[in-house]
């Protein structure tokens, strides 16, 4: 069994063939998928998929790149959906200083509002971080995000930052980059993270692992992440698959 903790089957790249993509994932042993929403249409599509497939769950949240467009009504919608039995987390949320589409102060406010909401509805949070590590860690600490915990999605930071996040009750999730030949840092960090704090993800359709780098990513490729981590840690594929699934179920409250 494999648990893809971060997939965007709700993205337009899958609008033509999502059913075949899901079938391939099942055939490759993917037992659970969290489809992550990040704006109005993708939240709606994540809910549709979670309602249709018993092994698909939804996360609902607002991406920092698009923070300027989140309204109070959107936050009310997220709060309403949080009560749905297939919604297992809020997110993705966070800070993105790479794309210059929403001012930093707006991103921070939208991030803080979603953390506060997660604490109110008692759901873990999925964190997107791009070039904003120090501010993310500060805000998680100031908002006492450890009360709900969550996952640092597609982690690319240092082991020191990973430890700070684990101390705040966060899991560390790795995707395609741990399979890249030239990616030293994620490999070194993944090797150091205790197996009981590790999660795996595709972040599909993006960040396609080796050997399909450059093509569209999909949940069936999550096995390549598990394989890479097993090799780095000197463990069996089965153990990594099982433990990361157990971790994800614990985090998302799936029995
Ligand atoms: Zn994502």
């Amino acid at each position: 069994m494999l648990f893809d903790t971060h997939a965007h089957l709700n993205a337009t790249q899958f609008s033509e063939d999502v059913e075949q993509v899901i079938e391939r994932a099942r055939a490759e042993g993917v037992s659970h998928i969290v489809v992550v929403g990040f704006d109005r249409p993708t939240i709606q599509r994540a809910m549709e998929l979670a309602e249709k497939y018993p092994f698909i769950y939804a996360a609902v949240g607002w991406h920092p790149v698009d923070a300027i467009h989140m309204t109070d009504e959107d936050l009310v919608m997220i709060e309403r959906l949080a009560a749905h039995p297939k919604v297992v987390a809020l997110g993705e949320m966070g800070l993105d200083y790479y794309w210059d589409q929403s001012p930093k102060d707006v991103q921070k406010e939208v991030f803080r509002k979603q953390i506060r909401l997660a604490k109110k509805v008692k759901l873990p949070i999925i964190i997107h971080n791009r070039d904003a590590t120090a501010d993310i860690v500060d805000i998680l600490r100031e908002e006492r995000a450890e009360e709900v915990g969550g996952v640092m999605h597609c982690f690319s930071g240092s082991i020191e930052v990973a430890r700070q996040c684990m101390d705040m009750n966060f899991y560390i999730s790795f995707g395609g980059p741990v399979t890249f030949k030239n990616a030293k840092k994620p490999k070194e960090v993944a090797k150091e993270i205790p197996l009981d704090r590790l999660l795996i993800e595709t972040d599909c359709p993006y960040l396609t692992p080796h050997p399909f780098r450059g093509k569209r990513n999909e949940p069936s490729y999550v096995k390549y992440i598990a394989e890479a981590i097993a090799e780095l840690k000197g463990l069996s594929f089965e153990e990594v698959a099982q433990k990361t699934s157990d971790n994800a179920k614990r985090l998302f409250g799936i029995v």
Side-chain angles (χ1 to χ4, degrees), residues 43-205:
I43 287 172
Q44 193 194 336
R45 184 72 181 131
M47 297 306 300
E48 287 167 11
L49 290 165
E51 285 181 347
K52 183 167 177 192
Y53 296 94
F55 49 88
I56 291 182
Y57 298 81
V60 293
W62 208 269
H63 203 284
V65 166
D66 198 31
I68 39 167
H69 294 119
M70 193 185 85
T71 64
D72 290 344
E73 289 76 45
D74 293 320
L75 204 63
V76 170
M77 168 193 67
I78 291 169
E79 179 167 3
R80 180 174 53 79
L81 293 173
H84 190 287
K86 294 299 290 291
V87 171
V88 293
L90 294 200
E92 55 189 292
M93 63 177 79
L95 301 173
D96 191 316
Y97 295 168
Y98 181 82
W99 300 104
D100 199 20
Q101 290 179 36
S102 294
K104 286 183 184 177
D105 58 331
V106 177
Q107 290 192 36
K108 288 179 184 172
E109 200 46 41
V110 163
F111 185 25
R112 286 183 191 275
K113 280 181 182 169
Q114 292 183 86
I115 298 172
R116 288 171 197 160
L117 177 57
K119 289 166 68 180
K120 184 177 169 192
V121 300
K122 297 187 167 56
L123 282 177
I125 55 182
I126 297 176
I127 305 297
H128 170 100
N129 169 22
R130 193 149 182 203
D131 300 343
T133 303
D135 286 354
I136 295 244
V137 170
D138 282 351
I139 289 176
L140 290 176
R141 196 165 281 142
E142 285 166 18
E143 296 291 338
R144 299 188 181 284
E146 77 272 8
E147 280 179 32
V148 288
V151 49
M152 306 306 290
H153 130 70
C154 202
F155 189 76
S156 62
S158 66
I159 186 66
E160 290 76 24
V161 171
R163 288 201 183 103
Q164 289 173 350
C165 296
M166 289 189 283
D167 286 345
M168 286 191 284
N169 204 12
F170 279 78
Y171 288 80
I172 310 296
S173 184
F174 291 95
V178 288
T179 69
F180 299 165
K181 291 214 158 53
N182 56 355
K184 256 181 87 181
K185 193 169 155 199
K187 286 188 165 112
E188 282 169 9
V189 176
K191 200 175 164 182
E192 294 294 317
I193 306 289
L195 189 55
D196 65 354
R197 302 306 293 178
L198 259 176
L199 297 176
I200 55 175
E201 64 172 89
T202 56
D203 198 22
C204 64

Side-chain angles (χ1 to χ4, degrees), residues 234-253:
L235 300 168
S236 70
F237 171 83
E238 288 73 21
E239 186 171 11
V240 170
Q242 181 69 54
K243 289 278 167 58
T244 52
S245 288
D246 292 346
N247 296 342
K249 289 184 192 169
R250 197 184 317 124
L251 172 64
F252 295 128

